[in-house]
């Protein structure tokens, strides 16, 4: 169960024409993918949630904390991606360093994370589009506008979006990168306009106090209060300095996406050079934009009055600028489109890699003879995510996505240490600095944010992992190509 798949074998598998992905991406394409995946729900929604409930104006610091945690993980991802430029991201990295069972666990985790993330973003996109339609005097029949509260419905817009994006992904990753480039250009322009225009409406008194006084967290707020108090000797709070860390665990959802760049390593012309650039470049750009937007929004409107659903748009309405509010709603709808597509891209590549290794049925790893894409797995997963998006309402799924991503970060950081010791001679175009100290810091930082998530999230995550272990025992272990070749 802990047999490892050698780096050389992983690279040889990419040379089989029947199971080989087409190489067409550059460092710019990867950076655009990263920015396209990261800028979405976090910047348009979570800013208001965290400012109002956890950190106040210090939400900017919460974004910095999350950015640092992601930065530590990004350095580990960059080394792996330059050493093992194969589809599958953290799954492939774990297979080369920690063994087959840890690889299966992380692959199963990523399938859940990216599927739920894509579905949640599609539902969020649908909400913004319905808002724009309402403003234009158009509306969908109520049964086709999604599930809200106790009323059941089917979200036709979310369902349709995922199907269209699935077709684009089947047609080729280069086409996907071009579509993403246009979308990213639009939404980054909108974000920059928010920063520049909003800066003229900042009121200094809205920053007072920048770090609001600490308030005891409600008992239902997490697994974590008694555990953190036992281990670290303090009681978690909302607001105050510790509220910043609570906020960081929530806005972490805003950063999900930079690791998707690593899933496209096999489709990159020069992966050893370009994948690290794409990962680190997209993360740096988005952190700057997040911090700037959170400072502008909390300066325009007092944090206690910010909207939870649409904080950026409502902040402009509060200062009498409805035109900019409408523009932001448009930018949010456009921005969420690229996030949805790139999360779906990442999921199909992880599924493809697991299938090519035999841990899932091999039929899903065959590539299209014309487009060079894993069309069978893309169609299957696209249909599943479309149905989930059509039937799902947004509640606590973001937290489940967060814990899955943080778990992947832990595995990748640990894998860097293990592979350095087992295979020190491997060529590494990018080397994580300060090994093992920086990867250890990445593990601890990720675990810290995981501890700030609610108990219910841990329970759901545990159930999904148990299901995955059962599937591995019944199918993956006996069908593994690595196992049958020994």
């Amino acid at each position: 169960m802990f047999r490892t798949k050698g780096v050389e074998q992983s690279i040889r598998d990419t040379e089989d024409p029947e199971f080989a992905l087409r190489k067409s991406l550059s460092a710019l394409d990867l950076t655009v993918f990263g920015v396209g995946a990261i800028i979405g729900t976090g910047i348009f929604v979570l800013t208001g949630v965290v400012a109002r409930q956890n950190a106040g104006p210090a939400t900017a610091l919460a974004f910095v904390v999350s950015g640092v945690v992601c930065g530590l993980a990004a350095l580990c991802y960059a080394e792996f991606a330059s050493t093992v430029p194969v589809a599958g991201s953290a799954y492939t990295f774990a297979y080369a360093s920690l063994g087959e069972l840890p690889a299966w666990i992380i692959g199963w985790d990523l399938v859940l994370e990216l599927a739920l993330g894509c579905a949640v973003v599609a539902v969020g996109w649908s909400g913004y589009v319905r808002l724009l339609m309402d403003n234009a005097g158009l509306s969908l029949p109520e049964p086709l506008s999604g599930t809200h509260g106790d009323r059941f419905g089917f979200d036709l817009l979310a369902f349709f979006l995922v199907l269209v994006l699935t077709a684009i992904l089947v047609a080729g990753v280069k086409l996907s990168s071009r579509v993403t480039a246009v979308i990213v250009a639009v939404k980054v322009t909108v974000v920059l306009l928010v920063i520049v225009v909003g800066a003229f409406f900042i009121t200094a008194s809205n920053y007072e106090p920048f770090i609001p006084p600490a308030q005891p967290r409600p008992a239902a707020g997490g697994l974590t209060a008694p555990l953190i108090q036992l281990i670290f000797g303090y009681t978690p709070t909302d607001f105050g300095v510790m509220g910043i860390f609570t906020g960081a665990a929530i806005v972490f959802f805003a950063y999900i996406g930079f690791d998707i760049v690593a899933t496209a390593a096999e489709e990159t012309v020069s992966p050893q050079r370009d994948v690290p650039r794409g990962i680190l470049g997209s993360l740096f750009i988005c952190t700057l934009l997040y911090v700037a937007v959170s400072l502008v929004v909390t300066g325009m409107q007092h944090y206690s009055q910010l909207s939870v659903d649409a904080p950026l748009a409502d902040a402009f309405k509060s200062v009498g600028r409805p035109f900019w509010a409408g523009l932001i709603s448009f930018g949010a709808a456009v921005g969420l489109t690229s996030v949805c597509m790139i999360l779906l891209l990442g999921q199909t590549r992880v599924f493809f890699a697991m299938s090519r290794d035999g841990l899932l049925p091999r039929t899903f790893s065959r590539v299209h003879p014309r487009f060079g894409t894993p069309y069978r797995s893309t169609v299957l997963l696209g249909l599943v995510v479309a149905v989930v998006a059509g039937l799902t309402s947004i509640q606590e799924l973001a937290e489940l996505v967060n814990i899955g991503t943080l778990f992947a970060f832990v595995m990748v950081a640990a894998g860097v240490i293990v592979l350095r010791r087992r295979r020190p001679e491997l060529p590494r175009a990018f080397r994580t600095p300060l090994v093992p100290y920086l990867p250890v810091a990445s593990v601890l930082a990720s675990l810290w944010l995981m501890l700030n998530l609610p108990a219910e999230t841990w329970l759901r995550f545990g159930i999904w992992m148990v299901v995955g272990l059962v599937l591995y025992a019944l199918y993956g272990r006996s069908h593994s190509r690595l196992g049958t070749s020994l």
Side-chain angles (χ1 to χ4, degrees):
M1 290 190 298
F2 292 93
R3 55 200 175 202
T4 58
K5 182 180 180 182
V7 173
E8 294 82 1
Q9 180 60 49
S10 295
I11 295 175
R12 281 197 298 272
D13 285 348
T14 69
E15 298 168 355
D16 184 341
E18 192 174 5
F19 303 97
L21 299 174
R22 186 169 298 166
K23 297 181 181 294
S24 59
L25 299 178
S26 65
L28 178 60
D29 293 325
L30 295 176
T31 302
V32 169
F33 268 140
V35 174
I38 297 170
I39 295 181
T41 304
I43 203 166
F44 292 113
V45 178
L46 292 181
T47 303
V49 174
V50 172
R52 187 162 181 168
Q53 300 177 2
N54 304 107
T59 297
L61 299 181
F63 277 116
V64 171
V65 171
S66 279
V68 169
V69 173
C70 291
L72 294 173
L75 291 169
C76 299
Y77 269 89
E79 174 168 327
F80 260 125
S82 68
T83 308
V84 195
V86 178
S89 185
Y91 158 76
T92 300
F93 305 157
Y95 212 162
S97 56
L98 302 176
E100 185 172 280
L101 179 59
W104 166 269
I105 291 173
I106 199 63
W108 186 244
D109 163 58
L110 288 172
V111 168
L112 172 71
E113 169 207 331
L114 297 173
L116 290 183
C118 183
V120 169
V121 171
V123 175
W125 174 88
S126 173
Y128 275 106
V129 172
R130 286 198 304 272
L131 179 62
L132 291 171
M133 290 175 63
D134 290 342
N135 292 338
L138 304 172
S139 62
L140 287 173
E142 191 170 308
L144 298 179
S145 60
T147 300
H148 301 284
D150 296 330
R151 180 179 59 75
F152 176 79
F154 186 80
D155 195 328
L156 181 64
L157 290 175
F159 177 81
F160 181 72
L161 172 68
V162 176
L163 290 185
V164 171
L165 297 180
T166 299
I168 292 174
L169 289 174
V170 168
V173 71
K174 192 63 179 179
L175 173 62
S176 305
S177 72
R178 289 169 179 164
V179 172
T180 302
V182 174
I183 294 172
V184 169
V186 172
K187 69 179 177 181
V188 169
T189 300
V190 171
V191 170
L192 291 175
L193 285 172
V194 169
I195 295 170
V196 174
V197 176
F200 290 97
F201 300 99
I202 290 176
T203 302
S205 61
N206 287 332
Y207 291 131
E208 299 175 0
F210 190 76
I211 302 178
Q215 300 176 7
R217 184 179 303 174
L223 141 133
T224 66
L227 187 59
I228 291 178
Q229 187 171 25
L230 176 65
I231 297 175
F232 299 101
Y234 81 92
T235 301
T237 65
D238 289 322
F239 302 109
V241 173
M242 302 319 302
I244 295 173
F245 291 104
T246 303
I250 297 172
V251 300
F252 180 82
F253 184 80
Y255 283 98
I256 290 174
F258 83 84
D259 54 321
I260 302 298
V261 173
T263 68
E266 190 174 327
E267 295 160 276
T268 304
V269 177
S270 301
Q272 289 84 357
R273 179 194 65 190
D274 292 343
V275 173
R277 291 180 179 179
I279 292 173
L280 297 172
S282 59
L283 182 61
F284 178 74
I285 291 169
C286 292
T287 299
L288 289 180
L289 293 176
Y290 279 174
V291 171
V293 166
S294 61
L295 286 173
V296 167
V297 171
T298 54
M300 291 176 65
Q301 190 174 20
H302 194 268
Y303 73 89
S304 63
Q305 299 173 346
L306 281 174
S307 163
V308 172
D309 296 324
L312 275 66
D314 288 347
F316 276 94
K317 286 182 182 178
S318 72
V319 294
R321 295 295 185 273
F323 168 79
W324 294 103
L327 182 63
I328 290 168
S329 296
F330 171 76
V334 172
L336 294 177
T337 305
S338 66
V339 177
C340 191
M341 182 167 68
I342 296 167
L343 290 174
L344 188 60
L345 168 73
Q347 185 195 32
T348 60
R349 272 36 178 188
V350 173
F351 198 89
F352 165 81
M354 296 176 72
S355 172
R356 187 166 60 185
D357 289 333
L359 300 181
L360 292 171
R362 286 266 286 171
T363 185
F364 293 114
S365 60
R366 298 188 184 277
V367 299
H368 195 281
R370 177 183 174 188
F371 301 125
T373 57
Y375 66 105
R376 293 179 178 178
S377 59
T378 301
V379 170
L380 171 68
L381 295 171
L383 289 173
V384 171
V385 173
V387 172
V388 171
L391 298 174
T392 303
S393 60
I394 299 176
Q395 294 179 354
E396 298 174 348
L397 293 181
E399 293 172 346
L400 192 56
V401 177
N402 283 4
I403 197 170
T405 304
L406 287 164
F407 181 69
F409 286 3
V410 170
M411 299 289 278
V412 169
V416 166
I417 299 173
V418 172
L419 197 62
R420 281 281 189 100
R421 291 185 175 180
R422 287 184 177 176
R423 300 292 306 275
E425 81 287 355
L426 283 174
R428 292 170 169 85
F430 181 92
R431 298 178 68 88
T432 303
L434 302 175
V435 174
Y437 305 108
L438 189 144
V440 168
S442 178
V443 169
L444 294 177
S446 297
L447 289 174
W448 171 257
L449 291 189
M450 291 172 74
L451 284 174
N452 280 277
L453 291 169
E456 295 81 1
T457 302
W458 283 82
L459 178 61
R460 296 186 187 105
F461 181 68
I463 292 172
W464 179 257
M465 287 294 105
V466 169
V467 172
L469 290 173
V470 171
L471 287 177
Y472 174 74
L474 295 178
Y475 182 89
R477 188 169 185 270
S478 58
H479 290 80
S480 165
R481 289 182 63 210
L482 184 62
T484 56
S485 66
L486 295 177

